[in-house]
């Protein structure tokens, strides 16, 4: 009888341990159930990280003027050009105007974590997947000098560049936006041709999967400029 009670006690202890293990997996490895949807391809840790950024940086807390945005863009483009040299041209009037229109369209010059669902952040609303691809592949592999200089100039004490840094530094966000366009390997339309720049934005930045259009690019750019009058 005593042996049976001991056996039952062991079974009970095993059940409690199994329940505790399940609770640990559920609460610590499963993202909290908030009214937000992230891609299922992300790991639970990535989803928790992005959720923390959304809670911290969602909503408009600051607005750049046109002059401030253009200064950020100029500094970012000249930084890339200075580091990479003149083999590839990154700092041109066309590129700077395209980035300005992109910032107007994507954030209205109001850096924040993406409204509603999504993973975009900063002045240019760079997607998390885009950041990972650019930083770990395109920049690191194809532009190692730029990779090193970005870490040197924009990283914190631990010398790491994180997704959140694109919200904390508008210039860094502009660098990533410029390098995203650089992947297109296609000539950027002249600065004065806003219609073609808008189509270029839709094709290479927002892409066919995005909700924006070349018309919304022109509309939002005009709205930002009208706001300052």
């Amino acid at each position: 009888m005593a042996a049976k009670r001991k056996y039952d006690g062991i079974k009970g202890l095993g059940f409690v341990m199994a329940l505790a293990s399940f609770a640990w997996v559920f609460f610590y490895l499963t993202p909290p159930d908030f009214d937000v949807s992230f891609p299922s391809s992300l790991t639970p840790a990535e989803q928790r990280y992005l959720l923390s950024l959304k809670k911290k940086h969602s909503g408009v807390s600051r607005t750049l003027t046109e002059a401030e945005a253009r200064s950020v863009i100029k500094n970012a483009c000249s930084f890339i050009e200075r580091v990479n040299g003149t083999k590839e041209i990154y700092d041109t009037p066309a590129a700077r105007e395209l980035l300005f229109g992109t910032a107007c369209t994507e954030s209205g010059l109001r850096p924040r974590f993406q409204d509603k669902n999504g993973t975009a952040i900063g002045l240019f609303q760079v997607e998390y997947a885009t950041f990972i691809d650019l930083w770990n592949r395109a920049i690191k592999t194809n532009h190692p000098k730029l990779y090193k200089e970005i870490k040197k100039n924009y990283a914190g004490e631990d010398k790491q560049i994180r997704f959140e840094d694109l919200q904390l530094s508008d210039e860094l966000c502009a660098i990533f936006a410029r390098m995203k366009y650089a992947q297109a390997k296609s000539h950027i339309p002249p600065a004065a041709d806003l219609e073609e720049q808008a189509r270029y934005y839709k094709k290479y930045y927002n892409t066919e999967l995005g909700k924006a259009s070349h018309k919304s690019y022109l509309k939002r750019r005009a709205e930002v400029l009208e706001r300052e009058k």
Side-chain angles (χ1 to χ4, degrees):
M1 201 63 179
K4 184 178 185 305
R5 284 198 298 271
K6 183 176 180 181
Y7 176 70
D8 290 341
I10 292 174
K11 287 201 301 181
L13 179 60
F15 174 79
V16 170
M17 292 178 66
L19 185 62
S21 297
F22 173 81
W24 185 88
V25 171
F26 182 82
F27 287 107
Y28 290 94
L29 296 186
T30 304
D33 184 20
F34 286 88
D35 185 22
V36 62
S37 176
F38 292 133
S40 59
S41 58
L42 297 176
T43 67
E46 288 176 312
Q47 293 192 45
R48 287 197 306 275
Y49 173 63
L50 293 173
L51 183 60
S52 72
L53 296 187
K54 184 173 183 65
K55 293 170 70 175
K56 185 177 180 181
H57 297 298
S58 63
V60 176
S61 61
R62 60 191 177 94
T63 300
L64 278 69
T65 65
E66 177 189 356
E68 289 171 336
R70 289 189 182 279
S71 177
V72 163
I73 290 166
K74 182 178 183 300
N75 291 340
C77 289
S78 63
F79 174 81
I80 300 172
E81 184 103 331
R82 186 170 63 252
V83 173
N84 279 357
T86 57
K87 203 172 193 181
E88 295 180 71
I89 306 301
Y90 295 91
D91 187 16
T92 65
R96 293 196 298 270
E97 191 58 49
L98 178 64
L99 286 176
F100 176 70
T102 300
C104 291
T105 307
E106 291 290 324
S107 71
L109 306 190
R110 290 165 173 162
R112 62 192 183 277
F113 196 95
Q114 185 171 354
D115 300 329
K116 299 180 181 179
N117 294 329
T119 67
I121 202 169
L123 182 62
F124 295 86
Q125 293 290 278
V126 175
E127 297 283 350
Y128 178 70
T130 299
F131 165 77
I132 294 297
D133 180 62
L134 286 172
W135 187 238
N136 293 334
R137 183 193 62 80
I139 297 177
K140 185 176 183 179
T141 302
N142 301 328
H143 305 279
K145 187 177 179 181
L146 179 62
Y147 180 84
K148 180 180 178 181
E149 288 300 309
I150 288 175
K151 292 179 70 174
K152 179 180 177 181
N153 288 272
Y154 295 96
E157 293 183 358
D158 61 357
K159 302 301 179 184
Q160 297 299 314
I161 295 294
R162 296 181 174 82
F163 186 51
E164 184 180 15
D165 294 328
L166 275 63
Q167 170 69 21
L168 303 178
S169 171
D170 296 328
E171 280 189 23
L172 181 61
C173 197
I175 289 171
F176 273 80
R178 181 66 187 91
M179 294 308 294
K180 175 177 171 62
Y181 274 122
Q183 305 310 298
K185 303 295 183 184
S186 179
H187 181 69
I188 296 175
D193 194 344
L194 296 181
E195 183 76 26
E196 284 305 308
Q197 286 220 333
R199 295 183 186 281
Y200 192 94
Y201 154 81
K202 175 58 186 174
K203 182 176 182 179
Y204 294 113
Y205 198 94
N206 186 252
T207 76
E208 62 182 14
L209 299 177
K211 294 181 179 180
S213 67
H214 79 281
K215 290 183 178 180
S216 63
Y217 175 101
L218 297 171
K219 180 175 180 290
R220 292 172 188 171
R221 181 184 181 280
E223 288 173 347
V224 167
L225 295 177
E226 182 65 26
R227 190 171 69 204
E228 294 198 13
K229 289 182 179 180

